[in-house]
Amino acid sequence: MKKLFALILCFTVAFAFPVSVSASDIPKTGAGAFVLYCVENKKIILSKNESKRMKPASTTKLMTTLLTLEEAAKNDRVITFTDKMIAEGSSMYLEVGEKLRLSDLAKGMMMVSGNDAANAAAVSISGSAKSFSNLMNTRAMQIGMENTHFVTPSGLDDDEHYTTAEDMALLMAEGLRSKAFSSLTFQKSAAVSFVEPSDKKITYSNHNRLLSLYPDCIGGKTGYTTAAGRCLVSAARRNGVTLVCVTLDDRTDWNDHMALYDYGFSRLSGYHSEDGSLKTDVPCVGGERNTVEVTGESDVAIVRENGGTDKIERRVYLDNFIYAPVKKGEALGRIDYLLDGKVLKSVALKAAEDVGEKRVKKGIFQKIKDFFTYG
């Protein structure tokens, strides 16, 4: 039985407390379809026509931006804007011959919904918008977007370009798991310094007004075409609870998102512990070093609808010392999160490094003994 490691104290963290909400308090929206989704527990709180296939307009660029940032993380190469990349509609106003980095195209998409930026990213990554759509659809299936089919990287209308409110909630939740994506979508503006012309620098303002209207908003993407109507995907975080709201074909989207968030946050309570960044040294017996560094496997976020997160107990189980050898990634203990004696979640404590066995230098008499020892 593992002992409670004395250097790490058990504690309780409490956040928002839910209150009872009557049916009359449920917000009414003007959306053709909507979803209010909790990222931590992966549950839909409220919805209407969540599985209805609809046009997403420029909220499509959430997928294009995510794929672009992932490619830029591997190789943030310089892109030359060509005739092949020109697009109608909203723009970051790129001109043929101009050069900028792939990550800057993501800024143009997320801030001002640049169709030119989306086309440039698609062509640069996959050779053509059509080939890029295959990449989009493959990733959509990986995320679990079962009722989505992308045709254009920008979201311009096409009969075969569709999604659902539920699928877009899953896409936004996936984006928030990316540090690059979540950082960009949270910005109210972003500056782009062009490689060519080298003296050109433009600061683009984010079209997502919720970043100013709603203090808890942490990002999102707007969209509009005549056929799709007003579309909005956003995210908000309060007291350990992260919510995603999607409205499709909604003339009152700003107000609807704020009302839905207020409703969701009033019902949920959250617990958060940053155990992914936990680090501690544990004595290592017989090792090349005297200690081994131990880290938590991941952060923990627990959301409950019926409250009680103020009573969650965190228990750390780790031996007082570890025997060498130790392999990096080896599970050495765990952290349990309990409510009323029931384990809600467990996180492994793992070795952050290899620690080999200490080699003992043998004396002459030990060597002679070993020589005459058989078997």
Side-chain angles (χ1 to χ4, degrees), residues 89-157:
S90 55
S91 175
M92 66 179 296
Y93 301 105
L94 298 175
E95 298 182 9
V96 173
E98 289 185 332
K99 297 180 180 181
L100 70 170
R101 295 199 174 275
L102 194 59
S103 59
D104 290 325
L105 295 175
K107 295 177 183 178
M109 283 184 273
M110 188 62 72
M111 296 296 115
V112 294
S113 200
N115 291 344
D116 50 356
N119 272 11
V123 172
S124 300
I125 294 172
S126 298
S128 69
K130 183 177 181 180
S131 295
F132 186 76
S133 69
N134 294 331
L135 189 63
M136 297 171 74
N137 290 320
T138 297
R139 187 57 183 279
M141 291 303 297
Q142 292 171 349
I143 294 172
M145 302 171 68
E146 297 180 354
N147 289 298
T148 294
H149 185 260
F150 293 119
V151 176
T152 68
S154 61
L156 288 174
D157 293 327

Side-chain angles (χ1 to χ4, degrees), residues 163-327:
T163 188
T164 67
E166 181 178 10
D167 281 0
M168 292 306 289
L170 296 178
L171 174 56
M172 186 65 189
E174 179 73 8
L176 292 176
R177 295 183 184 97
S178 161
K179 289 184 179 180
F181 181 99
S182 57
S183 175
L184 178 58
T185 194
F186 182 66
Q187 296 180 35
K188 292 182 179 179
S189 64
V192 173
S193 296
F194 285 70
V195 176
E196 184 65 40
S198 59
D199 60 346
K200 184 175 180 178
K201 183 175 181 179
I202 300 178
T203 298
Y204 297 95
S205 297
N206 199 324
H207 286 179
N208 180 13
R209 291 174 53 201
L210 272 184
L211 290 169
S212 298
L213 292 172
Y214 199 75
D216 299 308
C217 182
I218 58 172
K221 182 73 189 72
T222 60
Y224 174 79
T225 67
T226 302
R230 290 176 61 89
C231 301
L232 180 61
V233 178
S234 69
R237 183 175 292 129
R238 183 188 297 175
N239 297 329
V241 179
T242 307
L243 301 179
V244 169
C245 187
V246 180
T247 51
L248 301 177
D249 191 14
D250 184 6
R251 293 181 179 180
T252 56
D253 49 8
W254 304 120
N255 289 333
D256 288 346
H257 277 236
M258 290 188 286
L260 286 165
Y261 282 136
D262 285 345
Y263 173 83
F265 287 131
S266 73
R267 291 182 60 84
L268 301 174
S269 62
Y271 173 100
H272 180 73
S273 184
E274 296 184 350
D275 287 321
S277 58
L278 180 150
K279 291 183 179 180
T280 189
D281 289 331
V282 179
C284 186
V285 178
E288 297 171 326
R289 293 189 298 280
N290 293 328
T291 61
V292 57
E293 186 178 272
V294 178
T295 65
E297 184 178 29
S298 64
D299 290 347
V300 169
I302 300 172
V303 171
R304 292 177 59 84
E305 191 169 349
N306 57 352
T309 54
D310 58 313
K311 299 177 182 178
I312 289 178
E313 182 183 1
R314 176 181 180 273
R315 294 181 184 174
V316 181
Y317 296 92
L318 188 64
D319 283 339
N320 292 322
F321 58 86
I322 306 296
Y323 286 104
V326 178
K327 293 292 183 181

Side-chain angles (χ1 to χ4, degrees), residues 19-41:
V19 297
S20 59
V21 181
S22 66
S24 61
D25 292 325
I26 297 176
K28 295 179 174 60
T29 77
F34 81 86
V35 158
L36 182 64
Y37 174 83
C38 179
V39 174
E40 284 81 14
N41 63 19

